[in-house]
Amino acid sequence: MQRNTFIKLTTVLATGLLLNTPAHAQTTTINVAAIADFAGPYASVMPQMQGGRLAVIEWWNKEVGSKLNVQIAVKTFDTRYDVAQTASLWPGIKAELKPVLVLGLGGPDAAALQQRLPDDKVPMLMGTAAYGFGWKPNQWVLNLRPTYPHEAAGFLEWFRATKLQDKRPVKVAIITSEATPAYADMAKGLQSYTKANPDKATFVEAIWTEVQPTDLTLPVRRLVNAGTDVIVIQTNTAQAVAAKRALQALGKNVPIMLSLHNGVVGSSKALGDPNGFADDFEVGAIADATEDDTAARKFYRMLQEKHGLKSGWNAMTIMGLGQSIVAVRSIEATLKAKGAGKVTGEAVRETLLASQFTSNDLMGVLPGMDFSNDAPFPTGTSKVNIATMKDGKVFRAAGDVTVPMVNKW
């Protein structure tokens, strides 16, 4: 299945009289490919992320690109969050679009294309956290956030300090799957962190299950009996819902730490209870979907009012906003440095590695962005925001929490 989304291209009226140029200037089109999942495990939340992506592109085309006689065209491909599907479609995508950038979705995209993109000279930006298997120098798959274990470690150290008053290590377990390399990587990284920091965290168990499990009551009972303080689920809403139902069946309330793509709002909706994940947490090194009047929230409202953004104010939308704002800023910087005719995938990657975008550049959606050849994720600007749910609304529990050092695994 494939869904194509186009940003309509317009002929831009040049300011010819002022610049002593012809009245009409030719518009240059720059192609970007986007990978989506409208039929797999993220089908329920993908429209939110997609809305955020496209609204930013439309805003940039009207507010920035029109002045540069450049428009960015996006074409979206549904790969069902499947490694084989991504690998199968990529040669056609590359031949058809000749994209200068790919907006990736998740682990299957990184696994399928990590070895191909250096030869194809096309960088891929991921709105998700990074993966340990991609933690190598000279990468072309670049994440806007540090690894999932980095984000989990930042949360665990905050939890230990605030909930346990630093009196003992946090007892942490993880629910994940071996179905994708990214899911398996989450457990490996968390185990690496706890092994290196026994004074801060104790690893209880990794529950390996299906991507969309039906009943986790028995394994969750083991976690409860072991005195688990926190259950980490950074995979998807299906596993989060299965774990919550298991806890409800057992009459227990162990806090669950979620990532952004399976956050408290989306998981509550999938559970069928708008307050279903009350007192649980979602964590990410990006703006949180709280009610605070932040710069990111103001940017979102502007996109709603002026550029037709329909997606709700939630973590998936924010991931789409963050992914696209880095994409358009990197293309914009490349345009200004090299000119429209020299915006290639290789040139855009060079810009990403050479630039340090500020939070203002990124409309407050990200704390900043600084890549290097050593790591395919921000190396100096990352901090996590921690949000929780009460009465069906999301509130910030902590902001700008330091991300600790996590050893490579």
Side-chain angles (χ1 to χ4, degrees):
M1 176 180 178
Q2 174 178 313
R3 297 190 179 189
N4 299 336
T5 305
F6 293 96
I7 299 297
K8 187 178 179 182
L9 303 181
T10 59
T11 301
V12 181
L13 179 64
T15 55
L17 295 177
L18 293 176
L19 299 176
N20 195 28
T21 58
H24 294 276
Q26 182 68 38
T27 298
T28 298
T29 301
I30 295 175
N31 289 332
V32 169
I35 293 176
D37 171 21
F38 293 105
Y42 294 104
S44 63
V45 294
M46 188 67 226
Q48 302 294 307
M49 185 178 187
Q50 181 76 344
R53 283 175 170 178
L54 298 182
V56 171
I57 301 293
E58 180 176 314
W59 161 77
W60 188 90
N61 280 340
K62 289 183 177 179
E63 300 298 328
V64 182
S66 61
K67 298 178 179 64
L68 301 172
N69 293 327
V70 172
Q71 296 284 277
I72 298 173
V74 178
K75 192 170 183 179
T76 300
F77 298 84
D78 187 348
T79 63
R80 303 193 299 271
Y81 203 73
D82 181 81
V83 175
Q85 184 75 352
T86 301
S88 174
L89 288 177
W90 173 246
I93 296 171
K94 176 176 172 281
E96 176 187 348
L97 290 187
K98 297 180 175 60
V100 304
L101 193 68
V102 182
L103 302 180
L105 177 60
D109 311 323
L113 301 182
Q114 185 177 8
Q115 303 304 318
R116 298 188 183 195
L117 295 178
D119 292 331
D120 294 335
K121 304 298 183 187
V122 182
M124 181 161 67
L125 281 177
M126 308 290 286
T128 59
Y131 312 102
F133 56 77
W135 192 345
K136 300 173 183 177
N138 303 313
Q139 289 300 302
W140 287 70
V141 177
L142 304 174
N143 291 78
L144 308 186
R145 294 150 48 194
T147 70
Y148 285 98
H150 276 94
E151 292 188 341
F155 170 79
L156 292 174
E157 294 197 4
W158 170 83
F159 187 92
R160 178 173 179 263
T162 58
K163 306 299 183 181
L164 304 181
Q165 288 74 50
D166 288 331
K167 292 180 179 178
R168 62 173 176 82
V170 181
K171 293 182 178 180
V172 58
I174 188 169
I175 295 176
T176 186
S177 173
E178 292 179 308
T180 76
Y183 285 3
D185 186 75
M186 294 168 183
K188 294 175 184 176
L190 186 59
Q191 286 173 306
S192 173
Y193 167 74
T194 57
K195 184 178 180 180
N197 297 274
D199 57 324
K200 296 177 180 178
T202 301
F203 192 80
V204 177
E205 182 183 352
I207 294 176
W208 300 95
T209 185
E210 297 84 8
V211 172
Q212 296 177 293
T214 53
D215 184 9
L216 292 177
T217 305
L218 289 178
V220 169
R221 186 194 300 274
R222 292 201 306 271
L223 302 185
V224 171
N225 291 341
T228 302
D229 295 309
V230 174
I231 300 173
V232 172
I233 307 176
Q234 297 172 297
T235 50
N236 59 34
T237 53
Q239 291 191 354
V241 167
K244 177 58 70 173
R245 285 178 175 154
L247 288 169
Q248 290 173 340
L250 296 167
K252 301 297 181 180
N253 188 24
V254 178
I256 298 174
M257 192 220 89
L258 303 167
S259 192
L260 299 182
H261 56 268
N262 64 327
V264 292
V265 172
S267 294
S268 292
K269 182 178 179 181
L271 184 66
D273 178 354
N275 195 42
F277 280 76
D279 299 321
D280 293 310
F281 301 92
E282 66 181 35
V283 180
I286 194 171
D288 50 38
T290 60
E291 300 301 314
D292 299 78
D293 193 28
T294 60
R297 186 72 186 273
K298 291 175 182 176
F299 181 55
Y300 166 81
R301 289 198 189 107
M302 182 275 291
L303 293 176
Q304 274 189 313
E305 294 167 4
K306 297 183 178 181
H307 300 283
L309 176 58
K310 304 298 183 185
S311 301
W313 178 241
N314 55 56
M316 286 300 294
T317 299
I318 291 170
M319 286 172 61
L321 297 178
Q323 192 177 38
S324 284
I325 195 66
V326 174
V328 298
R329 290 306 194 206
S330 62
I331 290 172
E332 180 183 340
T334 307
L335 277 166
K336 292 177 178 178
K338 296 180 178 294
K342 296 184 179 180
V343 179
T344 63
E346 189 168 16
V348 170
R349 179 178 177 271
E350 288 174 2
T351 296
L352 285 164
L353 293 178
S355 303
Q356 183 162 0
F357 298 109
T358 67
S359 183
N360 286 338
D361 293 332
L362 305 178
M363 313 306 284
V365 179
L366 290 152
M369 191 56 50
D370 59 326
F371 292 108
S372 76
N373 272 318
D374 298 326
F377 49 82
T379 55
T381 56
S382 293
K383 293 182 182 297
V384 294
N385 292 316
I386 300 168
T388 190
M389 172 176 274
K390 293 185 184 300
D391 300 322
K393 294 184 178 180
V394 182
F395 296 90
R396 176 176 285 187
D400 295 328
V401 174
T402 299
V403 174
M405 186 185 76
V406 178
N407 295 331
K408 218 170 177 181
W409 61 91

